[in-house]
Structure formats: structure tokens, C-alpha cells
Amino acid sequence: MWNFPLVPPTAAEEALHISWLYWVITGMAIFFVVAVCAAALVLVVRYRASNENVNRDNPPESDMRLEMTWTLMPLVLALVIFFWAAKLYADIYTPRDDALEIIAIGKQWMWHVQHSNGVRENNELHIPVGRPIKVTVISQDVIHAFSLPAFRVKRDAVPGRYNSMVFTPTKTGKFHLLCTEYCGTKHSEMIGSVYVMEPDDYQKWLESGGKGTDSSSAPMSLEDQGKQIFTQLGCNTCHGAAGAAVRCPPLEGIYEKPIELANGQKVIADAEYMRESILNPAAKIVKGYDNLMPAYQGVASEDQIIKIIAYIKSLKDAKPAEASK
Ligand code: HEC
Ligand SMILES: [Cu+2]
């Protein structure tokens, strides 16, 4: 039952790099503790009051070489560690396009995982081995933290904010998935498993709708579900509707493009911006339009918003219909 060894398995490229950094820092700390203690011990014994065999005349008051050594050496070591760690940090937290995208919603007290073809799972995460995985996390209530010890990565799940991280699993198998931010009574039950699979097995798993058996019940993709929700919530009565009562900006082709706002500011239409535009449209008004969109705060769930954004993203290369201009 006891499956928490001192050091978790090392199952991702990033994990290997972070382990190296970790052990180098630990090794340095051990080296200096031993060196300082040994020096102290030697000096204490050698210069003890009863030892008359040492020369105590004229003790040196300063020694530039000594000063330089113990200033420059730690400085260089600290800078090496800083740049090394900064590089690893940037590798993990810089978004990249070649990664497989997965979204995880934290809520009291479970992880809800969404794959882009529409498969969803709770407290489990199935991913293929050998390719970068980008996990975007958000919380539906309080702050949680999505933690994968075997991959040495974790990210805070913050309400109202999409945070992401990238890692590349190198080993197949079952690993821990934890919440590492105290989030209430059942925080300790907010645990699950990551299953790293061979790419073919993962593909089969996805196509079978996450059941791993051969059935043709592949779910609807995120963007198609988003399109349905777009209609359910009545977004389509304004956006893209021919002869809509309200003049509104087209959503085709806006994803990750700069948008000019009424106050002269420019923003990039990323997921974060879209989420705000849906929940609280008054916060940022598109230039040339009026604040006529209803707020969907309390109406659209995080889950629905993720799907709507997937839908708007799928319109990235589409041309706006004449009617919605
Ligand atoms: C009553 C008509 C109306 C409805 C319904 C409506 N919107 Fe809007 N929407 C607007 C208007 C007007 C704007 C421009 C003013 C602004 O920025 O708030 C806008 C702006 C937006 C923007 C920012 C677009 C940009 O170019 O930056 C997004 C994203 C958006 N709406 C999505 C939605 C979604 C998703 C829904 C459904 C959940 C929806 N809207 C429902 C009228 C509407
Ligand atoms: Cu939690």
C-alpha cells in the first residue's frame, strides 16, 4: 500500500532535469556544511587555550585573497543555479504549440479533466508517452494546485485564471495526481492517477470515449460541444446572426489576435480575454461597439466556457459572415 518513496519515480524529461538541479543543490549544501564544520573543528582543536605550540603573535587582520574566494565562489555558484533553474522554469511554463492540450478544472474536491476530442475523466489523467503535454488548469471555487510528482511539475488552479504548464512523459505506467494546496475539509481526498500510455493505446482509449474498450461511442469534440452551447446560451442570436437586433463584433478569426478596445487599449484575444468577455463583458468593450452584451456570470459554467472558447478557437481561420459585421 505504501507508495510514497523518498523520491518519486522520474517519468518526464523535465523531471530528469529538475532532479539533476535538485541533487546538485543538495550536494553543494552538503559539501559546504561538511567543509565549514570540518574547518571549525580543526581550528577549535588547534587554537585551544591550552595549546602552547601555536604562534599567537601578530594575527593577520585581513586577507584579500580569502575575502575574494569566499565572495566570488558563492556568487558564481548562485548565478549558475539561478540561470539553470530559470531555464527549467521557462521550459515548463512557456506555452508551446506542438503540445497536446488538456484542460483540468479543480473543484472541491476533485479534478475534472477534459481532452480536446471531448473525452472527460475525473481524478484520472490519461496521456501518451513521448510527446509534450500542455495542461491548462483553472478552479471553479478555491485555489487548488495540480501536482504531478513523477513529472516534477505543478501549477496552481486559481479561480478566474487559466494557468498552464508543459511536460513530456518518458515512461508508461501509473503515477500520482495530487492537489497540493490545502483547499478545505476533503483536500486529502483530492487525489488521483495519471496513466501514461503508448501513443497507439492512448489513441484507442480516446476513440473509445475513454473506456479503453472497442466501442464506437466517441464523444463530441470540444469545439462541437462549444457550438451547441453557443446556441443554447443564445450567443448566436447576436454573434453571426443575420439581421441581429444588436450590432456585435464577429468572433471569426479573432482568436489570439489583437483587439482594439473602446478605451484605446489593445489586448490579445486569448482564452483569458474571452472568458472575461463572456462572464463580464463590460470589463472590456470592443472599439466601435456598445456595451450591450449580457453578462454570463453565474449562467455559463467553467466547463461550458472552455468549450465555447474551443469553438471560437476553431473559427480562427474562418471569415466573418457579412451579416455580423
Ligand atoms: C445581446 C447580444 C449579445 C449576446 C446574446 C452575446 N453577445 Fe457577445 N458581444 C455583444 C456585443 C455588443 C459585443 C461588443 C461589446 C463588448 O465588447 O462587450 C460582444 C463581444 C463579445 C466578445 C468579445 C469579442 C471581440 O471581438 O473582442 C466575445 C468573445 C463574445 N461577445 C462572446 C459571446 C458569447 C460566447 C456569448 C454567449 C455566451 C455572447 N457573446 C452573447 C453582443 C452579444
Ligand atoms: Cu484541492
Side-chain angles (χ1 to χ4, degrees), residues 234-235 238-239 247-249 273 281 284-286 290 293 296 308:
C235 315
C238 292
H239 292 283
R247 212 176 64 86
C248 54
Y273 167 80
K284 297 198 175 78
I285 304 296
V286 185
D290 295 322
M293 174 166 159
Y296 285 83
I308 294 176

Side-chain angles (χ1 to χ4, degrees), residues 77-203:
L77 289 178
L79 283 179
V80 167
I81 290 175
F82 170 75
F83 284 109
W84 185 2
K87 159 111 190 14
L88 295 186
Y89 184 93
D91 285 350
I92 293 170
Y93 296 124
T94 309
R96 43 195 276 189
D97 291 336
D98 59 338
L100 177 72
E101 288 208 45
I102 289 180
I103 297 168
I105 303 176
K107 55 180 168 200
Q108 283 169 326
W109 285 277
M110 63 188 285
W111 289 111
H112 181 70
V113 174
Q114 184 75 68
H115 296 258
S116 57
N117 83 329
V119 170
R120 40 204 290 169
E121 43 185 346
N122 291 331
N123 291 333
E124 287 193 348
L125 170 63
H126 287 74
I127 44 177
V129 69
R131 70 173 282 194
I133 311 287
K134 174 179 165 198
V135 178
T136 300
V137 293
I138 190 166
S139 167
Q140 201 170 292
D141 36 49
V142 301
I143 299 180
H144 304 272
F146 193 81
S147 168
L148 307 171
F151 309 142
R152 308 290 190 282
V153 290
K154 69 169 172 180
R155 198 78 164 116
D156 276 358
V158 181
R161 199 170 166 148
Y162 295 114
N163 283 336
S164 48
M165 62 183 183
V166 179
F167 57 90
T168 311
T170 49
K171 280 186 194 153
T172 55
K174 182 180 174 189
F175 306 99
H176 287 294
L177 160 61
L178 309 171
C179 173
T180 43
E181 182 80 55
Y182 179 69
C183 56
T185 325
K186 292 190 184 161
H187 164 65
S188 63
E189 288 175 27
M190 197 161 161
I191 54 177
S193 301
V194 182
Y195 297 88
V196 180
M197 314 167 90
E198 291 297 339
D200 286 352
D201 295 342
Y202 174 72
Q203 208 50 44

